[in-house]
Amino acid sequence: MTDSASTGAALARRYEDVLVITIDHPPVNALSAAVRADLAAAVRDAQADPQVRAIVLTGAGRNFIAGADIREFGKPPQPPILPNLCNQIEASAKPVVAVLHGAALGGGLEVALAAHYRVALPGARLGLPEVTLGLLPGAGGTQRAPRLMGAQAALDLMLSGKHLSAEEALDAGLVDSLASESDALDAGLAYARQLLALRGGPRRTRDATAALADKPAALAATDAAADRVARTSRGLFSPARIVEAVRAAIELPFDEGLGVERALFLQCLDSPQRAGLVHAFFAERETAKIPELKQARPRGVERVGIVGGGTMGAGIAVAVLDAGLPVVMVEQDDAALERGRARVAHVYDLLVDKGRMRADERAARLARFTGSTHYDALADADLIIEAIFEDMDAKLAVFAQLDRVAKPGAVLATNTSYLDVDRIAAATRGPADVLGLHFFSPANVMKLLEVVVGRQTAPDTAATGFEFARKLRKIPVRAGVCDGFIGNRILAAYRQAADMMMEDGASPYDIDAAVRAFGYPMGPYQMMDLAGGDIGWATRKRRAPTRDPALRYVQIADRLCERGWFGQKTGRGYYLYPDGARQGQQDPDVLAIIDAERLRAGVRPRPYTQEEIQRRYLAAMINEAANVLRQGIALRPSDIDVVALSGYGFPRYRGGPLHYADSVGLPAILADLREYAKEDPAFWTPSPLLVELAGAGRDFTSLNRAA
Ligand code: 3H9
C-alpha cells in the first residue's frame, strides 16, 4: 500500500499499481446516490492517475453490494444513475476486477457484470432478484447477463429471482474464477497482479458474443419464456418486460438494447405493483422490531419439546429439526407417537425421493428426533410447544402437565389458532413463561408465525419467540390475544362477507373467480374444500351457544357438511372432485342447495359483478384489519399486510390489505362500508380508526411511520 485517497461511501486505496475501491455503506452496501457519486469519482480519478494500472472493486462488511437502494425508488432520481455508472466502469481504460463476497445482487451484480473480470469468494450469492420487487435489472443486467451466460440461463435467473452460489455462477459463466482466499482484498489483489503479469487489459461484457452466437436457439428460449410467463405469472407486470428486454439483447446492438431496457425499467418503476412489492419487502423486515426485544434478551433455546404428533405437531417438528435443533415429541400412546414419527419421516422421504435431500441429511435430521409417551421426557426442553387439537379443556390439561415437568425458565407455547392464550397461561404457575406460537400449515413450509403475546407474557418470553422464529427462518408477527389473533380474525370477517354474498345471489364459483381475478391463487370456497369443511363445522357447532344473535348466520356451509361433503378429501364440497381430481368442477347440486337456503332465509337473489364482489370482500377485510389495529392486536399496519401476504395468499404485488386500502384511498373504502352498512349495520359498521384516518386525510402508512 502506498497512499490513500478516501471518499465517503467508496473508499479508494492504492496498493502499488492496483487501486482498490471498497464500497462501504452499511448495512448491505446498497447503491445509494452517495455511493454512486463516490464510486463514479473514484473510477474517474483512477483513469487519470498514472500510478494505477488496475482497479479492484469490493465491498466492506459481509456483502459486495445488495443492489440499488430500494428506499430511493419512487423518489426523483439523483445522478449519476446506475446504468451510466455501469457504462463508465465498463469503459475504464484500466482493467476492473470485481471481487464478490456475500450478496452480489441486483444492481450489485450489474456493477460486477460491467467490470472486466469477476472473482467470487466462497459463500458468495449472486442474483438478479429485481422481479421480486416488480422490476427488471435496469443497469444493463438484461443485456450483459445473456452475453455471458446465454439467453436461457439469464432468463431463468431473472424470472425466478433465485441466488446462485459461487460455484454455480462459475459454471454458468457469470464469474471467471473462484478465490481460494476468504479475504476479498487478498483475492482481488492476487487476481489483479496475475492479470497485469499476463498483460490482461479490459475485457468488456458488451463485446462478448459466444453465449448468444446461436441466435435461433436464443430466440426460441425467449419465446418459450414468454409462453411460460403468460401462463404462470398471474397478472405480474415485470416478467413479460424482462423477456422483452432479453429479446432486445439478442436482436439489437448493445446500446440500443440498453435503451429498450431503460424504457421498460421505468415502466416497471412507475407501476403500482413495484410499490406493493417494495412495501412487502420492507414490511417483512419490520415485523421483527418489537418493543420486547428492546427490553429483554431472549432465553436460549437448545432443545425443543412438542406435544402432539398430528399434522401441525409433525410439521413443527420438521421445521425445528431443519433448523438444527433436537426435538422430543410427546404423544398419549405408542400408536399415536408412531403416527407422529411416521409423519415426520414421510416429509423427509418425499424430499429424498424428489432428489431435494440426500439420504444422509435425512438420517441426520431424524437422529435428532426422539419420542415419548411420558411428559417427563420434556424436563430438559427449553421450549415446549403444545400442538394438540383445538379444545380448551384438553389444552388446559396439557398445560397442567407441562407446569409439572418443565424446568424453571422453560418457555411454554401453545399453537392454538384462536383460543384464549391468557386463559391457558393462567392454568400454570408461571404465566409469564407462556405465549402463543401460531404456525401455519404445512408448518415446515409456511413462513408466517404469529407470536401471540398474552397479558402476562414476560418480555424475555416474547423475545424468545422472535429469536426462535429467526432460527426457523420464519417471518414472526407479534399478535395480541383475541379470537383468531390477526390472521384468522380478519379471515372470519371476509369469509362472512363472502357467505352473505353467496346467499344474496353470487355463486361460490363467481366469488372464487372474482377473488382469483384480484390475484389470489384460489378463492375462499376452493380454500375451504382444500382445508376440509369439517374443521370449520366443528368450530361453528362449538361456538353456536355464544354466537352473536345480531350477526347474520349463513347456513349453506352447514347444509353441505350435514351431507358429509367436506371438500377434496370426500370427493365433493363446494366443488366436485371426481376420481380424486384436484381441480374441482362446479356442482349443480350445490347451486340447488344454495337456492333452497335463499328461499328458507327469504332472500331474493340479485346479480353481483366481479368488481362488487371484490369491493365487498376487500372492504370487510380492511375494516376488520382496522379494528385489529385499533385494539392493539397488531403493532402496525404493515404487520397485518405481512400476515395476509405470507399466511393467506393475498397477492404480494398489491402489498397487503392496508397498503391496498391506502392505494385505493380510505375515503373510498369508507364510502363503500357506509353504503353496505345500510343493509346490515351489525356487520358493516365502519371501524372508528378508519373513520378517524379518512376524516383527518391520513392513511395507514402514516401509522407505520409512527409505530
Ligand atoms: C435493483 O438493484 C435495481 C437495479 O437493477 C436497477 C437500478 C437502476 N436497499 O434483509 P436484511 C436493508 S433492485 C436498501 O434484514 P439479511 C434492509 O431493509 C434491488 N436497503 O439482511 C434491512 O434494513 P433494516 C435488488 C436494503 O442479511 C437491512 O438492509 N436487490 C437493501 O437477512 C438488512 O437486510 C435485492 O432485491 C437494498 N437493496 O439479507 C436484494 N437490501 O435493518 C435485497 C437490504 O433497517 N436484499 N436492505 O431493517 C436482500 O435480499 C437481503 O437484504 C440480503 C441481506 C440478502 C442482501
Side-chain angles (χ1 to χ4, degrees), residues 83 86 106-107 109-111 113-114 128 130 136-149 154-155 157-158 174 205 242 245-246 249 254 258 261:
C86 288
L109 182 57
E110 291 175 292
V111 165
L113 297 180
L128 292 169
E130 284 86 346
L136 51 80
T142 64
Q143 306 303 299
R144 292 192 179 93
R147 282 174 163 79
L148 290 179
M149 62 197 313
L155 282 162
L157 190 68
M158 291 186 253
L174 270 190
T205 306
I242 289 175
V246 171
F254 185 80
L258 275 188
E261 177 194 87

Side-chain angles (χ1 to χ4, degrees), residues 27-28 30 62 66-71 73 82 103 105-107 110 125 129-130 133 136-139 265 281-282 285 289:
V28 292
R62 293 200 328 215
D69 188 337
I70 303 172
R71 288 184 204 276
F73 295 152
L82 196 55
L105 299 174
E110 291 175 292
R125 283 184 292 161
E130 284 86 346
L133 299 171
L136 51 80
F265 176 79
F281 176 88
F282 287 118
R285 283 160 177 80
K289 296 172 186 161

Side-chain angles (χ1 to χ4, degrees), residues 253-468:
F254 185 80
D255 284 325
E256 283 178 41
L258 275 188
V260 171
E261 177 194 87
R262 182 74 185 157
L264 294 169
F265 176 79
L266 292 177
Q267 285 177 23
C268 294
L269 193 64
D270 281 346
S271 76
Q273 295 194 356
R274 190 275 304 156
L277 289 163
V278 166
H279 170 77
F281 176 88
F282 287 118
E284 280 177 357
R285 283 160 177 80
E286 279 305 295
T287 64
K289 296 172 186 161
I290 57 158
E292 287 83 355
L293 276 169
K294 290 191 189 131
Q295 298 160 14
R297 288 172 62 80
R299 303 180 195 173
V301 173
E302 301 297 329
R303 267 174 243 280
V304 178
I306 296 175
V307 181
T311 309
M312 280 317 288
I316 296 169
V318 172
V320 176
L321 294 170
D322 286 350
L325 296 171
V327 168
V328 51
M329 177 182 278
V330 167
E331 256 294 359
Q332 41 191 349
D333 54 43
D334 287 332
L337 182 60
E338 201 34 54
R339 283 195 297 275
R341 190 196 307 271
R343 284 192 184 99
V344 171
H346 182 63
V347 173
Y348 291 128
D349 290 345
L350 284 181
L351 288 174
V352 172
D353 286 351
K354 288 184 192 157
R356 293 214 221 124
M357 181 177 276
R358 293 194 316 268
D360 61 321
E361 288 171 328
R362 171 190 182 277
R365 286 178 205 206
L366 288 175
R368 289 197 291 274
F369 179 90
T370 49
S372 175
T373 53
H374 299 289
Y375 278 92
D376 294 334
L378 299 170
D380 279 350
D382 306 302
L383 166 67
I384 306 174
I385 305 169
E386 164 277 310
I388 66 162
F389 52 96
E390 290 285 57
D391 180 86
M392 182 54 99
D393 290 338
K395 290 196 190 269
L396 292 177
V398 167
F399 273 80
Q401 291 290 344
L402 298 184
D403 202 30
R404 183 179 63 77
V405 299
K407 67 180 183 184
V411 169
L412 308 184
T414 170
N415 176 51
T416 181
S417 37
Y418 61 87
L419 294 175
D420 184 345
V421 173
D422 289 332
R423 221 181 123 199
I424 295 173
T428 69
R429 283 166 300 171
D433 296 333
V434 178
L435 84 172
L437 288 178
H438 179 210
F439 288 82
F440 289 72
S441 189
N444 56 313
V445 176
M446 295 287 282
K447 287 268 174 236
L448 180 61
L449 179 64
E450 283 183 325
V451 179
V452 186
V453 179
R455 238 192 349 258
Q456 299 195 60
T457 305
D460 64 340
T461 305
T464 307
F466 272 75
E467 176 58 19
F468 178 64

